[in-house]
Amino acid sequence: MASSNTYRLSCSVPGHEMDVRGLASTSFPEGAFVSVSRDRTGRVWVPNMGPNRSFTEMHCMHGHTNFVSCVCIIAPNETYPRGLIATGGNDNNICVFSLDRPDPLYILKGHKNTVCTLSAGKFGTLLSGSWDTTAKVWLNDKCMMSLQGHTAAVWAVKIFPQQGLMLTGSADKSIKLWKAGRCEKTYTGHEDCVRGLAVVNNTEFFSCSNDASIRRWHVDGECLQVYYGHTNYIYSISVFPNGQDFISTGEDRSIRIWKNGECAQTIRLPAQSVWCCCILDNGDIVVGASDGIIRVFTESDERIASAEDIKAFENELSQSTIDAKTGDLGDIKMEELPGREHLNEPGTRDGQTRLIKDGETVQAYQWSVSDSNWLKIGDVIGSSGATPQTSGRVLFEGKEYDFVFTIDVNEGGPSMKLPYNVADDPWLTAHNFLEKNDLNPMFLDQVANFIIENTKGNTVGRTETGHSDPFTGSGRYVPASAGGSSASGADPFTGSGRYIPGSGPSTVAPAGVADPFTGGSAYASNTLQSSSAPTNIYFPKTDAVKFEQANATQILAKLKELNRGAPNEQTLSDDGIQKLEKLLSTVSNLNAVQKPTTEEIEILWKTAHWPEDIVFPVLDILRLAVRHPVVNEQFYSDKDGVQFCNHLLNLMGPQGKPANQMLVLRTLCNSFAGQWGQTLLMSMRETVMSQAMQLRTVNNKNIHVALATLVLNYAGCLHKVADLEGKAQCLSMVSTILEVVQDKEAVFRLLVALGTTIGSDGTARDLAQSLGVKSQINKYSTVTDPAKLGECCKLVLNQL
C-alpha cells in the first residue's frame, strides 16, 4: 500500500455537540472506534465502505447525567462476544454498555468525584481513576479494591498486559505501580500533573504531563528518556504497535507524531485543546478536540481526504486565532517581526513555526515537509494593540478607552457597549450612544449622569442617585428587582426596576478602587495601575455576599394580586397583608429601631407555604427578612431551622419554577448574614450544596450568579477552618460549575470562591491543582470587560 510517510487529513467527523474528551479503538466492528464527549453521549463510529473516506455513527449511548470524560473497551468474552464499552463521567459513575442497546447494562457507583480515566485488563477487569484521589479495581459489576495513596486527583490509569500490575498517574506529580492492591513503587520526575499513561510492553511505559514533557520508564524505576516538543499541557499519548513510535496531543493545538525518539511531524488543529487520541489497526490516527470535531489522519495515499476537504481544513486552520499569551509562540514584539518575504525561505523541519507581520496583524505559519511550503495556522491575537495590562486602557472596536460600560437595556435582551474616555464630553458621548443604538433621546440626561457618576474619580462607597429605569422601571415587577435601595452609578436602563447582581453592601474597598461586588463606582482596569503589583481586593472574601436590593412597592402589588388566587385556608386578610407590609418595611432597613414581631414572622412562615406557582413574591420578602437578626434566629433555630431549610430545598428542586429556584438560592445566600443561619447551613452543607449543584445546568444567568454566590459564602465560612472535606466540596463545585457557566459575573464569583478557599491552605491549593482548575480558568486572565474578572483570575493563578 502506497505511503507518503507523513500523516495527512483523512476525514473530519462531526457529530458531538461539545468537546470530545475520550477515544478508543475497537476490535468490533473492524476498523471502528468509540468517542465520548461533554455532550453526555458516547458514540461508535464505523468506516464507510464506499469512496467516502469518512465514518458513520453506528451506535449512540446515553446514561450519564453529566459530562462523559473517558472511555475504554472491555475485551470480548463468552457472554459478550463483541466486547463491552465502559465510560466514566463527571457524575462520579461508570457506565458499561453493549452494542445492542443505548442504555447501560449496569452502572458502577463508588467514586466520590469525577471518573476521569479508565483501563481494561484481562478477565473483564476494569481500573478507574477519579478526582477523589483513588483508583478502583472492578470485576463485572463489583468493586474489588480501592487503591489509596495519591494525594491528588488520579488522572491516568493503565493495566499492564501481565496479570496483576497496574499503573496510576496523579496530579500529585507521581506515578505509582500497584500489585494486588499494594503500592510497589512510586515514580517521580514530572514537575506537574501526570495526565496520561501508555503501556509499551510488560516492562516499559510512557507518561505525559502538564509540564509539557513525555517520559519513558522502566518498571524498575529508571526513567529511560525524556521527550520535549509540546509547548503546553500534554493530555494524551498512544503507542504504535511497534512499541517505539507514539503520538501525543495537548493544549498547544497540536498532535505530534514521534518516531525514533524524535518529533517527526506536528499537525496543528483549529481548536485550542486537543484532548485525546487513539491509533486504529490500520495505523491511522484519531484525535478529539475542544471544537467537538473528531479528525482522522493517515499515512496511506489511498485514504487521504479529497483535495477539497484538505483545502477546507487548511482554510479553517488559517482562520483560527492563536493567543500570544498561551506560551506557544513566545514573547512577541510586533515591531521586530519580518514581513511576508520571510516565507520565501524554506523551513528546516516539519512543524517549524514562523511568525510574520502582515499590515497591522501577526500571522503564524507552519512548515510542511510533505508539501514543501508554509501553511498558515492562524492569526495571533494579543500581539498588537494595547491591553489593560500594558496601557491601563480597554480596547473596543479597535480603539482604546478608559472605560467600556456594559448596558442591559431589556431584561434578557442583548447588552450594549458604552465606551468613554475621561477627556470626552459625557453629554456628547451619551448623545452618540443613544443615536448609534436607536434609543429615545429623552434619556440623554440619564445616560450622561450615569457616565458622570461612574467616572468621577472612582470614589469609595455608595452615593445617592436619583436615576430611574427608563425602560423597565417602576411599572414592572421582576423578582428581587433593584429599586428599593439606592445604588451608586446605577445602570440608567435597568437600575431601579431590576436587580443588579451582588449590589448589596459589602466590605469597603481600598481607596481608589470600587468594591467589585457592590460596584460603588464604575470598576475599570486603570484603577489598579497605580502600583507595580496588582492589589488583591477580591479574596479572601469572608463576609457574606448578599442580594439586598428590592422594589417594595412592586413586591407588595404582586403579593396582593396573587393573594386573591391563594387557597382559601392560606389567603391573607387585609390585616395580614398590612403586617407583611410592615415587616417588609422593617427588614428593608436593618438600621431601623423597630424589630419584626412574632406575629409578622408567623404570617411570613405561613405564606412561604403558598403553592409554588404564586409563592415567589413571598420568597422575595423572605430573602430580605433573613438578613435581620431576629428573623434569622427564629427561622434557623434548632427547633424549626432544619424544617425551614428543607422546605426551601424542595422549592429549589430541579423541576421547580426558575423564579423560585433563583429566590431560594438568594435566600440561602442572605441567610449567611446571621450567625443562626450560618451555623445551620454549615451543618447541612453537604445536602444544601449537593441539591444546589443540580441547578448548574439551568440556562439562567441569575441562577448561575446566585449559585456562584452560595459557593462563595460557604468558601468564606470555611476559609480559616481545618475542614478539608468542606473545602474539597467547594473546589469540586467551582470546577464543575465552571464547565457550564457563561455569565461573567458568575465566573467572577467562582474565582473569588476559589481564591478564598486556597488562599491560606496549601492542601486545598494542591487539591485545586489536582482538579485542573488552572487550565479551566486560564482563558479568563485576558478578559478586560469586566476588568475585575481578568484581574481576579491573574491573582488566583498566582496562588496556584
Side-chain angles (χ1 to χ4, degrees), residues 16-24 33-43 45 64 66-72 86-90 114-118 131 154-156 194-196 210 233-238 249-251 272-278 286-295 735-736 738-740 770-773 775-776 779:
H16 284 293
E17 299 172 3
M18 297 179 72
D19 302 44
V20 178
R21 291 304 302 264
L23 291 164
F33 63 87
V34 184
S35 62
V36 296
S37 165
R38 283 182 173 168
D39 65 12
R40 306 185 184 188
T41 68
R43 300 170 193 254
W45 305 89
H64 288 281
N66 207 330
F67 307 135
V68 190
S69 308
C70 54
V71 61
C72 77
T87 60
N90 284 46
T114 296
V115 179
C116 54
T117 177
L118 292 167
W131 291 1
V154 178
W155 278 106
V194 178
R195 297 298 293 265
N210 279 4
Y233 299 160
I234 306 175
Y235 294 131
S236 69
I237 184 168
S238 292
T249 67
E251 185 67 14
Q272 182 62 54
S273 304
V274 188
W275 293 115
C276 51
C277 62
C278 71
V286 187
V287 294
S290 54
D291 60 358
I293 304 295
I294 301 166
R295 295 179 176 86
S735 177
T736 304
L738 281 171
E739 296 277 5
V740 295
S770 75
L771 295 176
V773 294
S775 61
Q776 285 183 294
K779 60 185 176 183

Side-chain angles (χ1 to χ4, degrees), residues 110-124:
H111 281 295
K112 297 180 180 179
N113 213 317
T114 296
V115 179
C116 54
T117 177
L118 292 167
S119 178
K122 295 180 179 179
F123 313 113

